[in-house]
Amino acid sequence: MNHLQGGFLPHRDGEAGAHKETLSPGHLACAGCGLMPAVKLLQQVLGPRTIFVVPACCYSVIDGAYPSSATGMPVMHCAFETAASSASGVRAGLETLGIRDVTVVALAGDGGTFDIGLQALSSAAERNEDILYFCYDNEAYMNTGIQRSSATPRFSWTTTTPEAIPKAERKKDLGAILAAHRIPYFATASLAYPEDLRRKLKTAKEMKGLRVIHYFCPCPTGWKSDPRHMVRLARLAVESRVFPLHEVFEGECWVLNMDPQPVPAGKYLELQGRFGGRTPDQEAAIQKEVDENWKRLMRKVKAC
Amino acid sequence: MPNDPKKRRSSRILTGNQAAAWAAYLARVQVVSAYPITPQTSIVETLAELLSRAPWPHRFINLESEHSAMASCIGASLAGARVFTATSSQGLLLMHELLHWASGARLPVVLVNVNRAVAPGWNIWADQQDSLSQRDTGFVQIYCETAQEVLDSVIIAYRLAEDVQLPVMVNLDAFFLSHTAEPVEIPSPEEVEGFLPARKPVFRLEVERPRAFGGLIGPEGYQRIREDLARAMDSVLPRMDTIGKGWELSFGRSYSNVEPYRMQDAQLALVASSSVAANSRGVVDDLRSRGVAIGLVRIRTFRPFPKEEILRSLRGVRRVAILDRGFSWGRCGILHQEMQSALYGLAEVDRPKTYGYIIGLGGRDATPELIQEAVQQTLHRENPEPETVWLNANRQAYEPPPRWVSTPSRR
């Protein structure tokens, strides 16, 4: 299809240009956490001249307790709603000290990005701060015990949207919000397509200004899924068009990266306990929403 | 001697706000995070103008809220830069979470706060409720009386903050000081550089030495770092004295944590800060000329609370009238409360009685007449009953006409 763009970088261990990952074993992620492969890839692609700015989120626990830190790179923990504003400060501070070759990465969850941190992120986007903002989206407040966020999909169970009255609202469209800010780069990414993720990180690293990567992050603990299904769920989310892989350049040019033969959303839903209470009507509604979202995306992609 | 830096001092007519901006400029701040609020705006406006001509690398970031302004100050400070922000009232309250963060992270952030009333209703005038209610955030708090003192205090604040690794809040009263112009001596940049060298951070975000800051910590470790914070606070008052002496040597102006005025043989003392203290001085002079044994203890450093210095100043005093521009609901004036706890350790025979007065909230003038009334009441009441007197509340003038009073509708 002619709207499909973006190649793959071959992924080989010890590949030239790939940096050593510094993440230590013994970090505190749950078994099957979708974030950890991404942290490794971040480290491989961005290299040691990277500073992580981490608001309250799963990773603020995963990094480990004082005096240990699993990251092996500088980490600034910051208040929940301040990932973008703290990272702006770090970038400004480094600049005034003449340090320009360091990548400042804000590593935030969906709660810290879609909800409490959105104001600060919008402000950083408006100023086009030179930050790589990596949002790992596990679709709820997982660190506090699986409460609904505005990234939680419709008809999902969480502890604050019990099975009898699952979440009624659709997921917030982060990509469209950021595209409206006309930031240089926005991309969605998935651990099921590591070559695509690596390429996007590389693209982002070489750009200036605010770059946002919206990373789909399976969470067996919160999704009530089998940890061994981490990659399968990530792949099914893309194949079912629940989470399409795409990029947006300058808020103008929408590019689709993956256009697989679509599988029914039900295939993706059935592996997760959080959708266990769904009725056939609800499943049909989810499918309808997925199809509509896909059409919306394709309209933007084809307009470019 | 043409190269004498003292010769390059200049004198200008500046408002308190402009003096704050000049001080930040002279301190060669590297990152300024700004968000406007009345009556703080002329600080960041003046500083933006001054910095636009600054030869050193700097960034002036316009944030979307005070919360983000303090967050970016914290980020920039942890990266190793010298940072500045200014706010007032609601803005300071919005920062509250991050005030704790700045002190807990032991970062030398300097914040200028223009003391303004807290809503509702909207009131932009002088009142200390905003900063006094931030007393437990771990910021050093200084309250200024003149524009010159604002300029000097901000520069001194950087020396202190970077010495003890604690954030400092320099306070000035809305309009009475923030927008009132007076002659201010501006030290030469060379002199300030001599007094305040470039920041040398004890720790910072460095890719060469990767470390994590502010992450998870268990109960034992947590209490230890909190104790460290308390110890650092304990070291502030003596450090202030030393730094203040250095300032006096270079610039000829001296400041102390507590400033007693005509306290020799005083039986009665007024306790106040900021512009209320300035007005109280005139009242003391007037009453002294009429034979009243009265003095003033002006509290300049409020956090840490200079208990020992206050007790020394109050030796022999029988009654203390505390003039408060802030209130702890359900208790009494905030300064009053602090004074009571400071005096509690004295034996009962030595302990002066404390009389609390609320004066000048929301920009009401703390006039000499009102201060005199506080003195009269203190002299005539044998015991501080009631504990708190709201001076000249003049309720009747503010009673709404009957038609404004809503009555519950009958169903």
Side-chain angles (χ1 to χ4, degrees):
Chain A
M1 296 184 76
N2 59 5
H3 56 263
L4 200 59
Q5 290 179 27
F8 297 126
L9 288 173
H11 172 60
R12 289 184 295 271
D13 286 336
E15 175 206 349
H19 297 280
K20 195 168 150 284
E21 64 204 47
T22 56
L23 184 73
S24 307
H27 60 70
L28 302 180
C30 301
C33 173
L35 174 57
M36 301 323 286
V39 173
K40 289 186 169 197
L41 281 178
L42 270 166
Q43 296 190 330
Q44 286 176 11
V45 176
L46 301 181
R49 297 194 69 75
T50 300
I51 291 174
F52 286 90
V53 177
V54 181
C57 63
C58 289
Y59 198 76
S60 46
V61 175
I62 292 169
D63 185 46
Y66 177 86
S68 302
S69 168
T71 310
M73 288 180 179
V75 179
M76 175 193 181
H77 293 273
C78 64
F80 205 172
E81 61 279 56
T82 71
S85 44
S86 299
S88 300
V90 171
R91 164 56 67 206
L94 294 175
E95 263 175 38
T96 63
L97 298 171
I99 301 168
R100 292 175 188 283
D101 62 341
V102 166
T103 308
V104 178
V105 177
L107 185 68
D110 49 293
T113 304
F114 287 65
D115 289 343
I116 196 168
L118 188 62
Q119 175 178 322
L121 177 57
S122 167
S123 165
E126 186 261 337
R127 294 191 307 276
N128 197 22
E129 291 283 351
D130 192 17
I131 298 166
L132 201 170
Y133 193 106
F134 192 91
C135 168
Y136 64 100
D137 178 7
N138 49 27
E139 302 196 316
Y141 290 88
M142 297 312 186
N143 195 31
T144 46
I146 323 164
Q147 294 82 23
R148 166 215 196 272
S149 78
S150 63
T152 303
R154 189 177 280 184
F155 302 127
S156 169
W157 161 91
T158 68
T159 53
T160 50
T161 49
E163 205 162 272
I165 33 167
K167 194 198 179 204
E169 302 79 16
R170 70 166 72 89
K171 183 184 175 100
K172 204 185 263 185
D173 189 348
L174 183 69
I177 292 168
L178 286 161
H181 287 76
R182 313 274 291 268
I183 58 169
Y185 188 61
F186 172 87
T188 60
S190 165
L191 69 94
Y193 301 88
E195 307 85 347
D196 180 67
L197 173 56
R198 287 167 64 85
R199 182 185 61 77
K200 286 170 176 170
L201 288 171
K202 222 164 202 173
T203 304
K205 189 191 177 186
E206 283 155 15
M207 293 172 99
K208 290 278 171 209
L210 186 70
R211 301 138 281 164
V212 179
I213 292 185
H214 177 196
Y215 173 75
F216 186 80
C217 187
C219 172
T221 310
W223 295 5
K224 304 285 172 224
S225 60
D226 195 321
R228 76 198 158 96
H229 288 154
M230 173 176 82
V231 179
R232 180 183 289 188
L233 278 171
R235 177 160 291 129
L236 278 170
V238 175
E239 288 177 347
S240 63
R241 297 176 168 176
V242 166
F243 190 84
L245 294 183
H246 66 281
E247 291 161 296
V248 189
F249 295 88
E250 304 292 344
E252 293 276 9
C253 181
W254 296 65
V255 176
L256 186 72
N257 309 120
M258 203 71 60
D259 189 13
Q261 197 60 39
V263 300
K267 287 261 184 207
Y268 163 72
L269 303 176
E270 71 189 10
L271 291 176
Q272 304 171 64
R274 63 174 173 159
F275 295 111
R278 71 191 185 284
T279 63
D281 282 354
Q282 287 172 344
E283 186 169 321
I286 291 172
Q287 185 64 59
K288 188 163 172 274
E289 188 180 313
V290 167
D291 294 342
E292 281 169 7
N293 286 347
W294 179 264
K295 272 190 203 138
R296 276 163 55 88
L297 177 63
M298 293 312 290
R299 271 203 302 275
K300 292 173 185 166
V301 167
K302 284 176 178 158
C304 296
Chain B
M1 212 165 81
N3 280 331
D4 182 1
K6 283 186 186 179
K7 295 267 163 61
R8 283 196 293 279
R9 288 180 188 172
S10 61
S11 202
R12 280 172 189 256
I13 305 292
L14 296 181
T15 63
N17 276 358
Q18 290 168 334
W22 268 95
Y25 174 76
L26 288 169
R28 305 175 311 287
V29 289
Q30 291 159 302
V31 176
V32 176
S33 300
Y35 187 77
I37 183 169
T38 303
Q40 157 265 29
T41 40
S42 51
I43 300 180
V44 288
E45 289 164 357
T46 309
L47 189 51
E49 187 63 39
L50 288 171
L51 277 178
S52 69
R53 299 188 295 267
W56 62 88
H58 63 271
R59 259 198 75 188
F60 188 97
I61 316 177
N62 286 295
L63 278 300
E64 90 298 341
S65 70
E66 289 89 353
H67 194 278
S68 285
M70 184 48 74
S72 67
C73 273
I74 289 169
S77 189
L78 191 58
R82 184 173 284 163
V83 303
F84 178 83
T85 189
T87 190
S88 182
S89 177
Q90 309 296 124
L92 187 68
L93 304 189
L94 184 59
M95 282 182 184
H96 176 80
E97 177 195 20
L98 297 174
L99 299 182
H100 281 284
W101 200 290
S103 64
R106 304 294 302 276
L107 296 171
V109 174
V110 171
L111 159 70
V112 170
N113 179 60
V114 184
N115 282 124
R116 164 190 147 175
V118 165
W122 288 121
N123 177 307
I124 57 170
W125 295 285
D127 190 301
Q128 295 178 341
Q129 189 73 27
D130 56 355
S131 59
L132 290 179
S133 65
Q134 306 306 313
R135 65 178 160 174
D136 299 334
T137 55
F139 264 69
V140 174
Q141 289 197 15
I142 298 168
Y143 290 79
C144 299
E145 214 184 291
T146 65
Q148 183 73 63
E149 187 181 351
V150 171
L151 184 138
D152 295 353
S153 297
V154 170
I155 299 170
I156 290 170
Y158 278 105
R159 255 296 287 280
L160 177 75
E162 290 168 15
D163 258 24
V164 299
Q165 296 169 68
L166 281 176
V168 181
M169 183 189 303
V170 177
N171 293 278
L172 61 152
D173 275 345
F175 300 105
F176 297 128
L177 189 46
S178 68
H179 286 65
T180 307
E182 54 187 90
V184 174
E185 185 186 271
I186 298 176
S188 69
E190 297 82 3
E191 276 181 298
V192 175
E193 196 161 356
F195 175 80
L196 177 73
R199 181 182 167 205
K200 290 186 198 72
V202 179
F203 53 82
R204 63 184 175 91
L205 287 164
E206 290 174 282
V207 290
E208 294 82 9
R209 296 184 63 192
R211 283 175 290 189
F213 296 94
L216 275 189
I217 188 161
E220 292 78 12
Y222 183 80
Q223 181 156 331
R224 216 203 71 209
I225 59 164
R226 293 276 124 177
E227 192 182 339
D228 285 349
L229 180 57
R231 299 274 168 269
M233 263 292 176
D234 290 344
S235 73
V236 165
L237 294 174
R239 282 303 299 151
M240 280 277 253
D241 287 336
T242 319
I243 295 169
K245 283 197 185 92
W247 182 265
E248 190 180 356
L249 271 177
S250 306
F251 303 98
R253 291 180 293 274
S254 76
Y255 300 100
S256 50
N257 299 307
V258 173
E259 291 188 349
Y261 179 70
R262 299 189 79 168
M263 284 300 293
Q264 205 80 36
D265 311 321
Q267 301 263 306
L268 188 153
L270 288 165
V271 171
S273 67
S274 300
S275 58
V276 180
N279 288 1
S280 299
R281 247 183 229 105
V283 173
V284 167
D285 288 343
D286 184 30
L287 292 172
R288 277 276 179 186
S289 72
R290 291 194 263 147
V292 182
I294 187 172
L296 164 75
V297 175
R298 176 197 163 206
I299 295 174
R300 182 169 173 275
T301 307
F302 174 73
R303 271 290 177 277
F305 199 67
K307 181 181 154 183
E308 296 306 323
E309 289 168 70
I310 290 170
L311 293 185
R312 260 202 306 282
S313 314
L314 290 178
R315 202 162 287 157
V317 168
R318 316 289 302 174
R319 295 184 188 182
V320 180
I322 299 129
L323 307 176
D324 252 302
R325 228 177 199 151
F327 200 74
S328 175
W329 312 106
R331 183 66 194 89
C332 62
I334 294 172
L335 210 49
H336 186 188
Q337 199 181 349
E338 294 288 335
M339 287 300 298
Q340 285 183 330
S341 84
L343 294 168
Y344 187 73
L346 296 178
E348 207 172 334
V349 286
D350 301 326
R351 192 192 310 146
K353 290 178 182 168
T354 55
Y355 295 71
Y357 298 93
I358 304 301
I359 187 168
L361 298 197
R364 282 182 76 104
D365 288 335
T367 59
E369 292 73 27
L370 278 181
I371 298 168
Q372 297 235 15
E373 189 187 328
V375 174
Q376 291 303 328
Q377 286 207 29
T378 308
L379 288 170
H380 290 111
R381 286 190 289 148
E382 188 53 39
N383 283 303
E385 274 301 327
E387 195 179 20
T388 305
V389 173
W390 289 66
L391 281 173
N392 193 23
N394 196 10
R395 284 178 168 274
Q396 275 172 354
Y398 294 92
E399 224 40 81
R403 65 195 152 81
W404 290 3
V405 181
S406 63
T407 49
S409 61
R410 283 165 200 239
R411 288 176 186 241

mmCIF file of all heavy atoms in Angstrom, chain B residues 74-100:
data_model
loop_
_atom_site.group_PDB
_atom_site.id
_atom_site.type_symbol
_atom_site.label_atom_id
_atom_site.label_comp_id
_atom_site.label_asym_id
_atom_site.label_seq_id
_atom_site.Cartn_x
_atom_site.Cartn_y
_atom_site.Cartn_z
ATOM 1 N N ILE B 74 13.353 23.221 39.931
ATOM 2 C CA ILE B 74 13.933 22.046 40.593
ATOM 3 C C ILE B 74 14.775 21.256 39.587
ATOM 4 O O ILE B 74 15.910 20.858 39.879
ATOM 5 C CB ILE B 74 12.803 21.192 41.218
ATOM 6 C CG1 ILE B 74 12.221 21.921 42.433
ATOM 7 C CG2 ILE B 74 13.298 19.806 41.611
ATOM 8 C CD1 ILE B 74 10.937 21.324 42.974
ATOM 9 N N GLY B 75 14.237 21.052 38.382
ATOM 10 C CA GLY B 75 14.985 20.325 37.351
ATOM 11 C C GLY B 75 16.284 21.033 36.992
ATOM 12 O O GLY B 75 17.350 20.418 36.923
ATOM 13 N N ALA B 76 16.203 22.348 36.796
ATOM 14 C CA ALA B 76 17.385 23.111 36.391
ATOM 15 C C ALA B 76 18.408 23.158 37.523
ATOM 16 O O ALA B 76 19.622 23.094 37.290
ATOM 17 C CB ALA B 76 16.977 24.521 35.978
ATOM 18 N N SER B 77 17.919 23.248 38.746
ATOM 19 C CA SER B 77 18.819 23.300 39.893
ATOM 20 C C SER B 77 19.540 21.960 40.062
ATOM 21 O O SER B 77 20.740 21.917 40.351
ATOM 22 C CB SER B 77 18.031 23.651 41.154
ATOM 23 O OG SER B 77 18.899 23.901 42.231
ATOM 24 N N LEU B 78 18.815 20.871 39.833
ATOM 25 C CA LEU B 78 19.439 19.550 39.935
ATOM 26 C C LEU B 78 20.434 19.334 38.787
ATOM 27 O O LEU B 78 21.412 18.599 38.929
ATOM 28 C CB LEU B 78 18.373 18.446 39.944
ATOM 29 C CG LEU B 78 18.842 17.040 40.294
ATOM 30 C CD1 LEU B 78 19.507 16.993 41.670
ATOM 31 C CD2 LEU B 78 17.697 16.036 40.259
ATOM 32 N N ALA B 79 20.189 19.999 37.666
ATOM 33 C CA ALA B 79 21.165 19.929 36.566
ATOM 34 C C ALA B 79 22.412 20.744 36.885
ATOM 35 O O ALA B 79 23.431 20.588 36.221
ATOM 36 C CB ALA B 79 20.519 20.424 35.270
ATOM 37 N N GLY B 80 22.335 21.636 37.890
ATOM 38 C CA GLY B 80 23.526 22.370 38.326
ATOM 39 C C GLY B 80 23.452 23.879 38.141
ATOM 40 O O GLY B 80 24.403 24.586 38.464
ATOM 41 N N ALA B 81 22.331 24.389 37.629
ATOM 42 C CA ALA B 81 22.234 25.824 37.346
ATOM 43 C C ALA B 81 21.777 26.604 38.572
ATOM 44 O O ALA B 81 21.203 26.051 39.503
ATOM 45 C CB ALA B 81 21.262 26.061 36.194
ATOM 46 N N ARG B 82 22.048 27.923 38.543
ATOM 47 C CA ARG B 82 21.501 28.815 39.574
ATOM 48 C C ARG B 82 20.142 29.284 39.071
ATOM 49 O O ARG B 82 20.037 29.786 37.956
ATOM 50 C CB ARG B 82 22.438 29.994 39.805
ATOM 51 C CG ARG B 82 22.004 30.916 40.913
ATOM 52 C CD ARG B 82 23.049 31.964 41.208
ATOM 53 N NE ARG B 82 24.178 31.418 41.967
ATOM 54 C CZ ARG B 82 25.360 32.022 42.088
ATOM 55 N NH1 ARG B 82 25.575 33.168 41.494
ATOM 56 N NH2 ARG B 82 26.334 31.470 42.796
ATOM 57 N N VAL B 83 19.103 29.092 39.886
ATOM 58 C CA VAL B 83 17.737 29.304 39.398
ATOM 59 C C VAL B 83 17.004 30.349 40.227
ATOM 60 O O VAL B 83 17.367 30.618 41.376
ATOM 61 C CB VAL B 83 16.919 27.986 39.400
ATOM 62 C CG1 VAL B 83 17.612 26.927 38.578
ATOM 63 C CG2 VAL B 83 16.681 27.488 40.824
ATOM 64 N N PHE B 84 15.979 30.924 39.608
ATOM 65 C CA PHE B 84 15.181 31.955 40.276
ATOM 66 C C PHE B 84 13.733 31.851 39.837
ATOM 67 O O PHE B 84 13.441 31.580 38.673
ATOM 68 C CB PHE B 84 15.714 33.346 39.913
ATOM 69 C CG PHE B 84 14.924 34.485 40.515
ATOM 70 C CD1 PHE B 84 15.162 34.907 41.818
ATOM 71 C CD2 PHE B 84 13.945 35.137 39.778
ATOM 72 C CE1 PHE B 84 14.429 35.955 42.378
ATOM 73 C CE2 PHE B 84 13.210 36.191 40.334
ATOM 74 C CZ PHE B 84 13.466 36.603 41.632
ATOM 75 N N THR B 85 12.827 32.075 40.773
ATOM 76 C CA THR B 85 11.435 32.291 40.402
ATOM 77 C C THR B 85 10.816 33.240 41.415
ATOM 78 O O THR B 85 11.377 33.490 42.481
ATOM 79 C CB THR B 85 10.632 30.979 40.282
ATOM 80 O OG1 THR B 85 9.349 31.277 39.702
ATOM 81 C CG2 THR B 85 10.408 30.315 41.626
ATOM 82 N N ALA B 86 9.680 33.794 41.041
ATOM 83 C CA ALA B 86 8.975 34.712 41.943
ATOM 84 C C ALA B 86 7.486 34.468 41.798
ATOM 85 O O ALA B 86 7.009 34.106 40.719
ATOM 86 C CB ALA B 86 9.309 36.158 41.590
ATOM 87 N N THR B 87 6.764 34.658 42.893
ATOM 88 C CA THR B 87 5.327 34.450 42.838
ATOM 89 C C THR B 87 4.653 35.210 43.962
ATOM 90 O O THR B 87 5.265 36.079 44.605
ATOM 91 C CB THR B 87 4.974 32.945 42.862
ATOM 92 O OG1 THR B 87 3.590 32.785 42.584
ATOM 93 C CG2 THR B 87 5.293 32.315 44.212
ATOM 94 N N SER B 88 3.410 34.863 44.222
ATOM 95 C CA SER B 88 2.608 35.536 45.236
ATOM 96 C C SER B 88 1.360 34.704 45.509
ATOM 97 O O SER B 88 0.880 33.997 44.615
ATOM 98 C CB SER B 88 2.210 36.913 44.684
ATOM 99 O OG SER B 88 1.476 37.621 45.645
ATOM 100 N N SER B 89 0.864 34.779 46.719
ATOM 101 C CA SER B 89 -0.487 34.311 47.061
ATOM 102 C C SER B 89 -0.875 32.953 46.468
ATOM 103 O O SER B 89 -0.249 31.938 46.747
ATOM 104 C CB SER B 89 -1.474 35.399 46.615
ATOM 105 O OG SER B 89 -2.801 35.028 46.831
ATOM 106 N N GLN B 90 -1.897 32.950 45.604
ATOM 107 C CA GLN B 90 -2.410 31.695 45.029
ATOM 108 C C GLN B 90 -1.288 30.926 44.333
ATOM 109 O O GLN B 90 -1.272 29.700 44.340
ATOM 110 C CB GLN B 90 -3.516 31.969 44.001
ATOM 111 C CG GLN B 90 -4.631 32.884 44.465
ATOM 112 C CD GLN B 90 -5.438 32.326 45.605
ATOM 113 O OE1 GLN B 90 -5.567 32.953 46.655
ATOM 114 N NE2 GLN B 90 -5.969 31.141 45.431
ATOM 115 N N GLY B 91 -0.378 31.661 43.724
ATOM 116 C CA GLY B 91 0.733 31.029 43.013
ATOM 117 C C GLY B 91 1.618 30.245 43.967
ATOM 118 O O GLY B 91 2.043 29.126 43.677
ATOM 119 N N LEU B 92 1.882 30.838 45.116
ATOM 120 C CA LEU B 92 2.704 30.153 46.111
ATOM 121 C C LEU B 92 1.967 28.917 46.624
ATOM 122 O O LEU B 92 2.566 27.862 46.820
ATOM 123 C CB LEU B 92 3.029 31.104 47.269
ATOM 124 C CG LEU B 92 4.014 30.555 48.295
ATOM 125 C CD1 LEU B 92 5.399 30.406 47.690
ATOM 126 C CD2 LEU B 92 4.075 31.438 49.524
ATOM 127 N N LEU B 93 0.648 29.073 46.802
ATOM 128 C CA LEU B 93 -0.131 27.928 47.287
ATOM 129 C C LEU B 93 -0.135 26.805 46.257
ATOM 130 O O LEU B 93 -0.072 25.627 46.608
ATOM 131 C CB LEU B 93 -1.573 28.349 47.612
ATOM 132 C CG LEU B 93 -1.748 29.491 48.620
ATOM 133 C CD1 LEU B 93 -3.213 29.639 48.985
ATOM 134 C CD2 LEU B 93 -0.924 29.277 49.874
ATOM 135 N N LEU B 94 -0.200 27.169 44.971
ATOM 136 C CA LEU B 94 -0.171 26.138 43.930
ATOM 137 C C LEU B 94 1.180 25.420 43.925
ATOM 138 O O LEU B 94 1.268 24.245 43.611
ATOM 139 C CB LEU B 94 -0.456 26.757 42.554
ATOM 140 C CG LEU B 94 -0.554 25.776 41.389
ATOM 141 C CD1 LEU B 94 -1.659 24.747 41.610
ATOM 142 C CD2 LEU B 94 -0.788 26.500 40.071
ATOM 143 N N MET B 95 2.235 26.128 44.310
ATOM 144 C CA MET B 95 3.569 25.524 44.356
ATOM 145 C C MET B 95 3.769 24.588 45.546
ATOM 146 O O MET B 95 4.786 23.895 45.610
ATOM 147 C CB MET B 95 4.640 26.619 44.494
ATOM 148 C CG MET B 95 4.980 27.361 43.258
ATOM 149 S SD MET B 95 6.281 28.545 43.673
ATOM 150 C CE MET B 95 6.438 29.407 42.113
ATOM 151 N N HIS B 96 2.830 24.622 46.476
ATOM 152 C CA HIS B 96 3.055 24.005 47.789
ATOM 153 C C HIS B 96 3.748 22.632 47.721
ATOM 154 O O HIS B 96 4.746 22.381 48.393
ATOM 155 C CB HIS B 96 1.733 23.889 48.547
ATOM 156 C CG HIS B 96 1.846 23.176 49.855
ATOM 157 N ND1 HIS B 96 2.319 23.789 50.984
ATOM 158 C CD2 HIS B 96 1.590 21.893 50.202
ATOM 159 C CE1 HIS B 96 2.342 22.911 51.975
ATOM 160 N NE2 HIS B 96 1.899 21.765 51.537
ATOM 161 N N GLU B 97 3.215 21.749 46.869
ATOM 162 C CA GLU B 97 3.772 20.401 46.767
ATOM 163 C C GLU B 97 5.279 20.460 46.458
ATOM 164 O O GLU B 97 6.082 19.704 47.004
ATOM 165 C CB GLU B 97 3.048 19.639 45.650
ATOM 166 C CG GLU B 97 3.592 18.246 45.418
ATOM 167 C CD GLU B 97 3.124 17.626 44.101
ATOM 168 O OE1 GLU B 97 2.708 18.366 43.198
ATOM 169 O OE2 GLU B 97 3.188 16.391 43.997
ATOM 170 N N LEU B 98 5.637 21.378 45.567
ATOM 171 C CA LEU B 98 7.019 21.423 45.102
ATOM 172 C C LEU B 98 7.928 22.236 46.014
ATOM 173 O O LEU B 98 9.148 22.134 45.927
ATOM 174 C CB LEU B 98 7.058 21.945 43.668
ATOM 175 C CG LEU B 98 6.318 20.996 42.719
ATOM 176 C CD1 LEU B 98 6.228 21.577 41.338
ATOM 177 C CD2 LEU B 98 6.965 19.626 42.680
ATOM 178 N N LEU B 99 7.334 23.034 46.900
ATOM 179 C CA LEU B 99 8.158 23.689 47.920
ATOM 180 C C LEU B 99 8.767 22.594 48.797
ATOM 181 O O LEU B 99 9.961 22.598 49.102
ATOM 182 C CB LEU B 99 7.331 24.653 48.764
ATOM 183 C CG LEU B 99 6.657 25.818 48.033
ATOM 184 C CD1 LEU B 99 5.920 26.709 49.030
ATOM 185 C CD2 LEU B 99 7.656 26.645 47.253
ATOM 186 N N HIS B 100 7.929 21.633 49.173
ATOM 187 C CA HIS B 100 8.441 20.488 49.927
ATOM 188 C C HIS B 100 9.496 19.751 49.117
ATOM 189 O O HIS B 100 10.489 19.261 49.652
ATOM 190 C CB HIS B 100 7.297 19.517 50.257
ATOM 191 C CG HIS B 100 6.450 19.938 51.420
ATOM 192 N ND1 HIS B 100 6.858 19.813 52.718
ATOM 193 C CD2 HIS B 100 5.212 20.472 51.471
ATOM 194 C CE1 HIS B 100 5.905 20.247 53.528
ATOM 195 N NE2 HIS B 100 4.897 20.657 52.796
#
